Amino acid sequence: MSFKELPIMSDKQKGALLFYPYISKKSAQNIKKVLSTRWIGQGPGVDKFEKKFQQIFSKKNSALATGSGTDSLHLAYLLAGLKKGDEVITTVFTCTATNIPLLYIGANIKFADIDPMTMNISIDSVKKLISKKTKAIVCVHYGGLPCEMNELQKLSRKYKIPIIEDAAHAMGAKYNGKPVGSISDFTTFSFQAIKHFTTGDGGMLTIKNNKLLKKAKRLRWFGIDREGKQNGTWENDVFETGYKYQMTDIAATLGYDSLLDFNKILNHRRKIFKIYLDKLSKNKNIICINDDDKKKYHSAWLFTIALEKKDFLQKKLREYRIETNQVHFRNDRYSIFKKFVKGQKFKNMDFIENKYLVLPLHHKISSKQAVDISNLINKII
Ligand SMILES: *Cc1c(COP(=O)(O)O)cnc(C)c1O
């Protein structure tokens, strides 16, 4: 893959930036308190954040805080029992972070095409790739729109394989009224700077089989039973290769404070999303990436449009200091994934790859700005 993107926009002048980190106003004060205690690394703040996250998003599933979304994905793959050579079906269109931990494991990646209207994994494509050798299916709720979970769950039951949801875009999304995080065997979240809210860097893994929680905690911390060690009951043996994937109490404080603000964050994002959708779906030269399926409740992380004159629009908007970008790119173009492709065609990905563009959507974009940006786009295109 070789093409250049527009540089990111400077934040020194007024304009509409594509992303902006969300930090609760309470956090500076609350972190100051944490800094004067003994627990700045993983301590009671992490437990408190996990408990609150579980109440809101994962319900009966366990919630385990990690150092990043990527850490959570790697842990999910390990806990799903994936090993070298195992076939895993995953989407071709996502942040590379979804698929890179499959390389750590040495899994045999099978890329599925996307549905061009939602840019989520195509169920037809998954069905064509699935076989007795398939050990897991990974899906990504692109932009915050849930995938076809009923269909994926059916395949999961039929082939007795786990579904791993990468929900880095989908905090607050629901399917059939159930929050994303409470549905599948494993679900991962990210609190990286540009996500719904941030902990600097951080992630969450939710796990359906609560019996795996102890192992998950060991893998998060060198293979050590940390609770047992702190209670003086640990036998002091490390029998599996663990990682250093924990969250710190400094980060968890940011996370907990933002969870208290979460309804406000989500409602604002959904409001901006709806303004773009109402105004831009009237334009016949523009496709809004979305789905009217009533089972799906959108978490409005990204608003994406598709159009023939994508480059023209992007450059024009930049003249008005409105930042847009493609954000994620098809993974089969990257050299690290080439060996898994072998001439395979991705018809829908091919169709949309030079057409999609993500518009600014975050807590600092006002309704008026969203109206103005939409009107401007409708004027240009
Ligand atoms: C952000 C993101 C990740 C990675 O999360 P990190 O916290 O940056 O490791 C994974 N998958 C998707 C789809 C993402 O957007």
Side-chain angles (χ1 to χ4, degrees):
M1 166 148 132
S2 54
F3 73 92
K4 293 207 172 65
E5 300 172 65
L6 284 189
I8 63 162
M9 204 165 87
S10 141
D11 45 4
K12 299 233 159 52
Q13 294 161 270
K14 265 197 164 358
L17 295 171
L18 185 54
F19 296 113
Y20 208 94
Y22 183 87
I23 304 279
S24 167
K25 291 202 171 60
K26 304 178 284 278
S27 287
Q29 195 56 37
N30 288 339
I31 285 179
K32 208 168 157 197
K33 279 187 222 154
V34 171
L35 294 180
S36 65
T37 70
R38 182 183 174 198
W39 298 102
I40 55 167
Q42 189 199 332
V46 169
D47 299 340
K48 186 173 145 188
F49 179 41
E50 287 173 343
K51 210 168 145 202
K52 188 87 193 158
F53 190 94
Q54 181 174 358
Q55 275 170 10
I56 305 174
F57 301 114
S58 71
K59 307 294 174 186
K60 285 186 188 146
N61 297 0
S62 305
L64 188 86
T66 62
S68 72
T70 312
D71 295 352
S72 295
L73 283 155
H74 189 199
L75 285 180
Y77 299 155
L78 292 166
L79 292 164
L82 296 181
K83 294 191 181 61
K84 195 169 158 52
D86 283 348
E87 284 190 9
V88 178
I89 298 174
T90 179
T91 175
V92 74
F93 179 62
T94 182
C95 175
T96 50
T98 311
N99 294 324
I100 283 177
L102 293 169
L103 299 179
Y104 302 165
I105 288 174
N108 186 4
I109 295 175
K110 299 284 169 190
F111 284 119
D113 202 355
I114 53 170
D115 170 337
M117 297 312 292
T118 63
M119 301 185 84
N120 280 339
I121 196 164
S122 148
I123 301 299
D124 281 348
S125 183
V126 172
K127 283 180 178 165
K128 283 186 192 132
L129 293 168
I130 205 162
S131 77
K132 286 211 176 73
K133 285 195 240 158
T134 310
K135 290 289 177 345
I137 302 172
V138 181
C139 68
V140 178
H141 309 298
Y142 176 71
L145 178 75
C147 296
E148 301 291 339
M149 295 315 298
N150 279 351
E151 298 296 322
L152 290 171
Q153 297 290 351
K154 265 188 227 157
L155 292 172
S156 162
R157 282 192 295 272
K158 181 168 170 199
Y159 290 89
K160 299 194 170 49
I161 50 171
I163 302 288
I164 299 156
E165 294 176 50
D166 178 345
H169 303 181
M171 210 181 346
K174 289 179 194 154
Y175 188 84
N176 267 340
K178 288 193 190 129
V180 165
S182 70
I183 300 166
S184 293
D185 304 284
F186 303 96
T187 308
T188 66
F189 296 86
S190 164
F191 313 118
Q192 189 237 336
I194 63 175
K195 301 294 156 65
H196 282 78
F197 63 75
T198 184
T199 61
D201 256 317
M204 192 70 79
L205 166 64
T206 74
I207 308 170
K208 176 147 274 167
N209 179 356
N210 295 316
K211 287 196 197 108
L212 286 174
L213 184 61
K214 263 192 162 339
K215 181 179 172 118
K217 287 186 170 175
R218 286 196 306 270
L219 292 180
R220 179 172 67 172
W221 188 269
F222 304 119
I224 292 171
D225 170 6
R226 200 165 177 260
E227 273 163 26
K229 187 168 155 69
Q230 287 174 359
N231 295 333
T233 58
W234 183 50
E235 305 267 355
N236 204 354
D237 183 31
V238 177
F239 53 86
E240 61 205 333
T241 309
Y243 298 83
K244 191 76 194 299
Y245 280 172
Q246 86 294 354
M247 179 177 274
T248 68
D249 268 28
I250 298 171
T253 302
L254 289 165
Y256 185 85
D257 291 345
S258 287
L259 277 184
L260 300 183
D261 295 348
F262 190 71
N263 278 339
K264 199 181 70 189
I265 299 170
L266 184 64
N267 290 340
H268 180 78
R269 297 190 83 103
R270 284 177 50 89
K271 187 171 76 187
I272 302 300
F273 187 99
K274 189 166 184 307
I275 293 171
Y276 283 141
L277 184 64
D278 287 347
K279 297 215 155 252
L280 296 174
S281 55
K282 294 197 183 92
N283 187 325
K284 63 179 190 327
N285 296 318
I286 291 175
I287 298 169
C288 296
I289 300 301
N290 191 36
D291 188 344
D292 298 330
D293 187 341
K294 294 283 175 285
K295 292 194 290 300
K296 301 174 185 174
Y297 186 84
H298 205 301
S299 68
W301 187 58
L302 298 176
F303 190 87
T304 307
I305 55 175
L307 70 164
E308 290 296 334
K309 289 160 75 177
K310 184 266 290 176
D311 291 331
F312 175 75
L313 178 65
Q314 188 182 20
K315 288 202 185 91
K316 268 280 175 222
L317 290 174
R318 210 42 99 80
E319 288 169 19
Y320 292 89
R321 302 200 46 75
I322 296 160
E323 186 179 34
T324 61
N325 210 330
Q326 289 202 307
V327 186
H328 297 325
F329 299 89
R330 58 191 297 174
N331 282 192
D332 61 319
R333 294 255 191 253
Y334 292 113
S335 300
I336 50 172
F337 297 120
K338 274 267 157 63
K339 68 170 176 177
F340 301 107
V341 181
K342 294 183 201 121
Q344 195 188 347
K345 288 273 176 282
F346 302 94
K347 196 165 60 53
N348 298 337
M349 191 69 244
D350 290 346
F351 165 77
I352 206 160
E353 93 166 293
N354 295 316
K355 298 187 180 73
Y356 67 95
L357 197 62
V358 177
L359 307 184
L361 169 56
H362 49 80
H363 62 287
K364 285 189 184 287
I365 299 293
S366 67
S367 297
K368 173 162 187 320
Q369 261 177 314
V371 169
D372 291 347
I373 292 170
S374 307
N375 288 342
L376 181 63
I377 292 173
N378 283 336
K379 218 164 85 187
I380 298 171
I381 296 299

